[in-house]
Each structure stands twice: as structure tokens, then as C-alpha cells.
Amino acid sequence: MVNRVAGAAVLYTLMILTALFCLGPFLWLLSTSLKVNANIYQFPPQFIPWPITFKNFIDVFNIMPLWTNIWNTVLMTAMGVGLNLLTCTIMAYPLARFRFPGRNLIFYAIISTMILPNGAGMIVHFLIIQKMGLYNTLLGIVLPSAVTVFNVFLLRQAFITIPQEMEDAARIDGASEFRIFWNIMVPMIRPAIATIVIFDFMAFWNSFIWPIVVLDDPNKYPLTAALQYLQGELSYNFPYIAAGTVISVIPIIIVFLLLQKQFINGMVGAVKG
């Protein structure tokens, strides 16, 4: 009994320390965003801010077109997640359910491209976007990420886990191939889709380098790229930078909380697959 209690105490202590270590940067950022300027450089550092102020959040909205940047980010993220989900699902389904010569060869060829670093394709993507007349547009940001190899792999594994009897029963009932795909197969891989939505949402919402490369007009910048102006114009006013960063993180936390159950089921399914 004593050993079990001691083991549980050690385990909980390690878990709490790990959680604090992981949350530490965000908690410090949140603390900084609620401090007045006089307490930023205080020594010893003040972890729990006092007095607490929300003026930094109000000032950030007043000194930059934050609503415009948020709207740009929402558009970019919605287009990116929707397009990526559509293309990856259409690619993964035949690789998982159809039998045709060279299926595995095509799948391994697609998977092999995962070893290429993202930066290697940046120049090629820029030239293509420029030729297509999409420079300085939100579509130009989204299009190079319209297909993600990891998402194709994850969805293929999810489609494989669906019993063949489900597909056969639908065919016996006279369902078309499109109806089998859209009304039967896609709803059965909701956990994997939720996982992709969370990962893609974070990737597009936090996109920083590529929007700066593609966009020439600062009014079209998404939120993360626009926050860089807080550094230059305000001479490193850390409470404003922290407040702007906290605002940019809040949607990601909300999406994760809404989809966390599906996300966990999706990750478990991917590992089993």
C-alpha cells in the first residue's frame, strides 16, 4: 500500500513538472501580456502579474488593423484546410480501397517526398505562383500546401481500417462509387479528419515565412506575419507583442478543445492502422 502511494506521488509529481515545463513559455507569455511596463524588467521576475492590466490587448487593436489581419487569417486558414482536406481525401481513397497495378509503387513514391525539406521547394513554388498570376493573393499562399503527404498517409490508413463488408453491402444496395465514398467512407473516418483539421489549422494559422514571401501588400498579411510590425514600430514593447501573440493563439486553443476527442481517436486509429 505504502509503495503504491509513493509510486503514485512520484508519478503525479513528474506529470505536473512535465506539464509546467511544456506550458511554461505560454504561461510566461500570458503573464507578460497582463503586466504594466514597469513590471516587465523587475527583478526578481514577477510571474503572477500585479497590478493586472488588459490595456495591452486594447492598445494592440488600436495601433494596428488587427481585425483585418484576423479576417485575412480566417480566409487563408479556411481555404487551406478545406482544399487540403478535399485533395488528400480524394488521393487517399483509391490508394486504400481500389486494386490496380502499381498502387503500392505510387503510394511509396508519394511517401518518399516526405524526406524533402519544405524550404527546398520554396523557390519553385514562388516561380509557379508568379507565372499563374497569384502573387500577392491569399490563394497564392494556400495553393502550394493544397496537398500534404502526411495527410494522404493518415487518411489512407484510416480508409484501410474500414471493413470490406461495409463497401460490399453498399454496392449490393445499388450505391454509386461516389455515394459509397461520400456517404459511407468519409463519415467513418471522422477522427482522422478531425486530426488533420487540427494540424492544418495550426499550420495555416501560424504560417509566417511564406505569406511574407508571396504577399507584397501589408494589408493582406495574416495575423502572424502582421505581428512582426509590433517589434519594429514599438521598439520591442514586450507587453504589446505578448498580447498580440496571445490573441493569435486563442483560436487554436478553441479549435483543439472542440476537436480534442476526435483528435485523440484519430491518433490512436493512425497508430493501430
Side-chain angles (χ1 to χ4, degrees), residues 111-166:
I111 291 296
S112 65
T113 61
M114 291 178 70
I115 63 174
L116 298 174
N118 292 331
M122 192 171 288
I123 296 176
V124 177
H125 290 159
F126 180 79
L127 293 176
I128 293 174
I129 292 298
Q130 206 172 29
K131 291 288 184 184
M132 294 176 67
L134 296 177
Y135 179 71
N136 200 29
T137 64
L138 290 180
L139 188 58
I141 302 174
V142 170
L143 209 55
S145 303
V147 179
T148 306
V149 177
F150 176 75
N151 292 347
V152 174
F153 169 76
L154 191 66
L155 290 171
R156 177 184 177 270
Q157 298 305 105
F159 278 127
I160 286 176
T161 60
I162 300 175
Q164 182 65 33
E165 290 77 9
M166 299 290 295

Side-chain angles (χ1 to χ4, degrees), residues 176-237:
S176 63
E177 287 296 336
F178 178 77
R179 190 169 182 186
I180 294 173
F181 165 71
W182 187 251
N183 292 108
I184 296 174
M185 294 298 179
V186 170
M188 294 187 73
I189 60 165
R190 279 197 301 267
I193 291 175
T195 305
I196 289 173
V197 168
I198 291 175
F199 279 134
D200 279 4
F201 186 91
M202 289 192 294
F204 281 105
W205 192 272
N206 291 325
S207 184
F208 177 69
I209 299 295
W210 183 242
I212 292 177
V213 172
V214 173
L215 297 177
D216 189 40
D217 183 1
N219 290 324
K220 295 182 179 179
Y221 274 5
L223 187 57
T224 310
L227 288 178
Q228 66 172 326
Y229 286 103
L230 287 176
Q231 299 183 18
E233 292 180 1
L234 302 171
S235 302
Y236 294 95
N237 189 316

Side-chain angles (χ1 to χ4, degrees), residues 7-22:
V10 172
L11 181 62
Y12 276 99
T13 303
L14 288 174
M15 291 172 64
I16 291 171
L17 289 175
T18 304
L20 288 175
F21 180 77
C22 294

Side-chain angles (χ1 to χ4, degrees), residues 198 250-263:
I198 291 175
I250 288 174
I252 297 174
I253 296 174
I254 293 173
V255 169
F256 180 79
L257 291 177
L258 291 175
L259 299 177
Q260 59 174 329
K261 184 179 177 182
Q262 300 286 345
F263 172 74

Side-chain angles (χ1 to χ4, degrees), residues 24-67:
F26 177 73
L27 294 177
W28 187 257
L29 195 70
L30 182 63
S31 171
T32 304
S33 68
L34 297 173
K35 290 178 181 175
V36 295
N37 275 329
N39 292 339
I40 294 297
Y41 301 104
Q42 183 178 340
F43 188 83
Q46 185 187 57
F47 183 74
I48 299 176
W50 188 260
I52 294 177
T53 177
F54 294 94
K55 184 174 179 297
N56 300 320
F57 291 90
I58 299 171
D59 289 346
V60 168
F61 277 95
N62 291 331
I63 61 178
M64 61 184 290
L66 206 61
W67 288 116

